[in-house]
Amino acid sequence: MKGLCRQIDLLSKSTYRYLSRVFKYKLGIAEIGITDFLIFNIVDYCFKSSLSNVIIYKVNSYNESLHGNDIDLFIQRLDGKYNWFVLQAKVMSYNGNYKDLRNKKGKKSQWDKLLDHENNNNCKSFYLFYNGKSTKSTKKSILKSDCKGKYSIEDLGLGIVETSQVKIIKETRKRVENIHEVLLDNMYSMRKLFCCTETQYEGLKGYDFHEINTKAPYELIKLSDNVDNTNNIITVNHNNLSNPIDNEAAKFRILVNNIDNKI
């Protein structure tokens, strides 16, 4: 997965630089637009590289799922099973806040719904934050590191924070002038999920391929003219799959095999 790891790393940096330019003029961009751009870049990279270890599904007619997951990411482990990561995307505003990252009176909070999803399906959920340079940056944060080394701030253009940490921050720190800077203390780059899969989240149950829902409402995105990416990942009859593990359709579902293709 080295090639895809590098691509996600580059996308993180380019997202940070792009949003920083947008925020300079106190403008914004819709979260769904950034998510679509992220998926396009992954699809386009896999297509151009003729990757056979990635399959991607989309839902054409989409209403946000019960738990709020925008992307379901399945990464295969060395034992052949897949870890399931659930990503809920939020785009930063120029002032360092995130739209809708709040409790709604009389309704269950989104982070509690995501944590229910974790408990019911033995997956790991994250908020995926699309970040740039805020117009209200006030402090120097001590950034974290992963198996690829210590982060620069640009590495967090695609930043992930565990849902449980978001819940703690939002429910214990009611008045925060710049939530982005508070979240930085708990933020990793999305590249961690693609680059450090051998060591991360070993406690997850893991799923066999046939347990992952790849039927309707999902539609396969063809990633190569020359490679049948459904058959190169695993030999399986898609018409005879067992009942899927979930009934919640994220807009996109990405499955990554642990075969390391030569790019």
Side-chain angles (χ1 to χ4, degrees):
M1 282 197 304
K2 289 182 180 178
L4 193 54
C5 165
R6 288 195 300 269
Q7 183 66 8
I8 295 297
D9 197 18
L10 291 172
L11 284 172
S12 294
K13 292 178 172 67
S14 62
T15 299
Y16 187 89
R17 290 192 291 265
Y18 172 73
L19 287 178
S20 295
R21 291 171 61 196
V22 171
F23 298 157
K24 178 181 178 181
Y25 303 105
K26 295 188 177 181
L27 296 174
I29 189 168
E31 167 266 307
I32 192 170
I34 299 288
T35 299
D36 287 344
F37 183 73
L38 168 63
I39 296 297
F40 161 74
N41 274 276
I42 295 174
V43 168
D44 193 50
Y45 174 78
C46 292
F47 181 90
K48 290 176 179 177
S49 304
S50 296
L51 290 187
S52 61
N53 65 326
V54 181
I55 49 178
I56 303 176
Y57 297 88
K58 63 178 180 177
V59 175
N60 285 326
S61 179
Y62 175 69
N63 292 316
E64 186 169 14
S65 70
L66 176 65
H67 302 100
N69 42 316
D70 295 299
I71 301 172
D72 283 340
L73 176 62
F74 292 86
I75 303 279
Q76 191 179 36
R77 309 185 310 212
L78 296 180
D79 64 3
K81 293 183 179 293
Y82 290 81
N83 280 341
W84 181 8
F85 301 114
V86 174
L87 305 178
Q88 164 59 53
K90 297 289 183 187
V91 64
M92 191 171 128
S93 299
Y94 67 85
N95 60 3
N97 291 320
Y98 299 92
K99 184 179 179 181
D100 295 331
L101 190 65
R102 61 179 184 271
N103 269 321
K104 296 181 180 179
K105 290 184 179 180
K107 295 183 179 180
K108 195 169 190 176
S109 66
Q110 189 179 66
W111 44 83
D112 282 327
K113 292 178 182 179
L114 287 167
L115 291 173
D116 286 345
H117 199 27
E118 276 192 13
N119 294 330
N120 294 335
N121 294 286
N122 207 316
C123 55
K124 188 69 178 178
S125 66
F126 299 87
Y127 277 85
L128 170 58
F129 294 113
Y130 302 135
N131 298 311
K133 183 179 180 181
S134 166
T135 58
K136 291 188 177 181
S137 296
T138 59
K139 73 172 186 175
K140 293 283 186 180
S141 295
I142 300 175
L143 301 182
K144 292 185 176 293
S145 60
D146 61 22
C147 63
K148 304 299 288 184
K150 188 173 181 179
Y151 296 137
S152 69
I153 190 64
E154 288 190 349
D155 292 324
L156 300 178
L158 304 175
I160 58 171
V161 179
E162 292 186 11
T163 301
S164 57
Q165 292 300 317
V166 174
K167 174 182 172 68
I168 291 170
I169 291 168
K170 290 297 295 181
E171 293 185 358
T172 61
R173 303 184 67 164
K174 299 294 185 181
R175 296 181 180 179
V176 180
E177 184 176 349
N178 192 330
I179 188 65
H180 168 66
E181 292 186 340
V182 176
L183 289 168
L184 278 179
D185 294 334
N186 297 281
M187 192 173 293
Y188 293 86
S189 172
M190 186 182 179
R191 79 181 188 194
K192 181 180 179 182
L193 301 180
F194 290 88
C195 303
C196 309
T197 55
E198 292 84 359
T199 58
Q200 302 301 323
Y201 308 106
E202 294 176 346
L204 293 180
K205 168 189 172 182
Y207 289 94
D208 292 324
F209 183 90
H210 72 272
E211 295 180 289
I212 302 170
N213 183 13
T214 57
K215 297 188 287 188
Y218 289 102
E219 176 185 339
L220 178 70
I221 300 175
K222 190 176 181 184
L223 300 184
S224 174
D225 287 329
N226 302 315
V227 176
D228 182 351
N229 48 289
T230 60
N231 291 327
N232 277 316
I233 288 212
I234 190 168
T235 301
V236 62
N237 184 341
H238 284 251
N239 294 320
N240 293 318
L241 295 177
S242 62
N243 291 327
I245 55 176
D246 68 302
N247 58 4
E248 288 299 321
K251 186 176 183 182
F252 297 102
R253 177 156 283 185
I254 305 172
L255 285 78
V256 183
N257 191 274
N258 62 25
I259 298 171
D260 190 11
N261 290 72
K262 185 177 180 181
I263 305 302

